[in-house]
């Protein structure tokens, strides 16, 4: 599908970046077993021995499809959704979720002034070129006046080379968000972000009302919308509810199912 190859399983792609590839690819594939040239003096039963040796070589494991979960989280609310979303992706056979952060744009002094907690280790930062390795992408970010945060916008702004080479064309992608209030942009933040996908020719995958009854309950405060999972952060002290986390897990599973279906079509 175009040069983006959004529906081509990961096992058919060649690495585009040595550094990025080392995080989730096995570049040490075993070399083929050399077969000596035959001569007229080789016994006939050597044929059976050679066949047995070849059959004994274990086949390479089929690479899983990759759904990148790329997010920016200042106080941990979006990260909480991202981690639960990975659980949903991983629950689909043959698909694996990979967590990435986008680079920070604020200074250390600014973050300290805003009392931003230190990041937990274990989730690497992503560079734009690594998006090529994904079979699908879920982008998560907090809102800033109804739009994505500056950190995520800066990351999208760094994808110009990918746009020029049409390397993301056809890749399915979705969004999940965090807002401070109930009217703070749960829908508009995702809606205004769709323009980024449009210019790349990516396929926007909303969750609609596939979460079922959980999308209609009104007995508690719940973030999320047909556009994607969401959380209300309040003044920063509110943690994601179990319903919000369950919706994130559902979105991960839903996206993994869509990616698998597209890649096997």
């Amino acid at each position: 599908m175009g040069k983006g190859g959004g529906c081509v399983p990961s096992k058919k792609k060649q690495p585009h970046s040595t550094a990025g590839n080392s995080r989730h690819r096995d570049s040490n594939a075993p070399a083929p077993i050399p077969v000596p040239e035959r001569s007229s003096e080789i016994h006939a039963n050597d044929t059976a021995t050679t066949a047995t040796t070849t059959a004994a070589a274990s086949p390479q494991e089929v690479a899983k499809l990759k759904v990148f979960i790329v997010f920016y989280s200042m106080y941990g609310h979006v990260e909480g959704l991202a981690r639960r979303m990975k659980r949903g992706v991983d629950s689909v056979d043959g698909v694996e979720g990979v967590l990435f952060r986008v680079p920070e744009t604020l200074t250390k002094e600014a973050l300290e002034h805003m009392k931003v907690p230190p990041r937990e280790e274990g989730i690497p930062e992503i560079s734009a070129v690594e998006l090529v390795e994904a079979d699908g992408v879920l982008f998560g970010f907090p809102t800033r006046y109804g739009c994505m945060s500056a950190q995520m916008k800066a990351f999208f702004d760094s994808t110009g080379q990918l746009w020029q080479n049409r390397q993301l064309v056809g890749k399915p992608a979705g969004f999940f968000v965090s807002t401070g209030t109930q009217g703070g942009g749960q829908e508009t933040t995702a809606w205004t972000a769709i323009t980024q996908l449009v210019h790349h020719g990516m396929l926007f995958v909303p969750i609609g009302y596939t979460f079922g009854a959980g999308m209609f309950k009104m007995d508690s405060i719940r973030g999320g919308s047909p556009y994607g999972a969401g959380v209300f952060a309040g003044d920063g002290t509110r943690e994601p509810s179990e319903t919000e986390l369950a919706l994130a897990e559902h979105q991960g599973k839903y996206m993994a199912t869509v990616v698998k279906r597209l890649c096997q079509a």
Side-chain angles (χ1 to χ4, degrees), residues 161-172:
Q161 192 68 39
L162 303 182
W163 166 81
Q164 183 176 2
N165 296 326
R166 293 178 291 174
Q167 290 177 280
L168 300 182
V169 171
K171 287 188 186 294

Side-chain angles (χ1 to χ4, degrees), residues 105-258:
T105 59
L106 296 176
T107 64
K108 181 180 179 181
E109 292 72 22
L111 294 173
E112 291 176 349
H113 180 74
M114 298 170 70
K115 296 180 173 54
V116 176
R119 292 179 174 178
E120 294 185 20
E121 300 296 330
I123 301 179
E125 285 190 352
I126 189 172
S127 61
V129 70
E130 289 177 276
L131 287 177
V132 179
E133 296 297 316
D135 297 290
V137 190
L138 287 163
F139 295 101
F141 36 81
T143 185
R144 296 292 184 268
Y145 302 112
C147 300
M148 65 173 62
S149 64
Q151 291 83 353
M152 183 59 72
K153 183 59 169 64
F155 176 74
F156 272 109
D157 287 347
S158 72
T159 62
Q161 192 68 39
L162 303 182
W163 166 81
Q164 183 176 2
N165 296 326
R166 293 178 291 174
Q167 290 177 280
L168 300 182
V169 171
K171 287 188 186 294
F175 301 124
F176 57 104
V177 303
S178 169
T179 63
T181 63
Q182 294 185 62
Q186 289 280 315
E187 294 186 348
T188 61
T189 302
W191 181 34
T192 54
I194 292 175
T195 59
Q196 312 298 312
L197 306 186
V198 169
H199 282 265
H200 278 290
M202 302 178 79
L203 308 177
F204 176 52
V205 181
I207 58 174
Y209 286 86
T210 58
F211 192 48
M215 298 291 288
F216 297 93
K217 291 182 178 179
M218 301 192 57
D219 54 349
S220 64
I221 296 176
R222 172 191 60 79
S225 72
Y227 289 87
V231 58
F232 291 123
D235 61 359
T237 60
R238 181 184 184 272
E239 295 297 326
S241 68
E242 179 55 35
T243 302
E244 290 169 330
L245 293 172
L247 179 55
E249 183 173 343
H250 168 77
Q251 183 174 6
K253 183 176 182 179
Y254 182 76
M255 173 60 85
T257 303
V258 170

Side-chain angles (χ1 to χ4, degrees), residues 37-51:
E37 295 182 1
R38 290 192 169 277
S39 69
S40 58
E41 298 178 358
I42 294 181
H43 296 290
N45 61 359
D46 282 355
T47 302
T49 302
T50 302

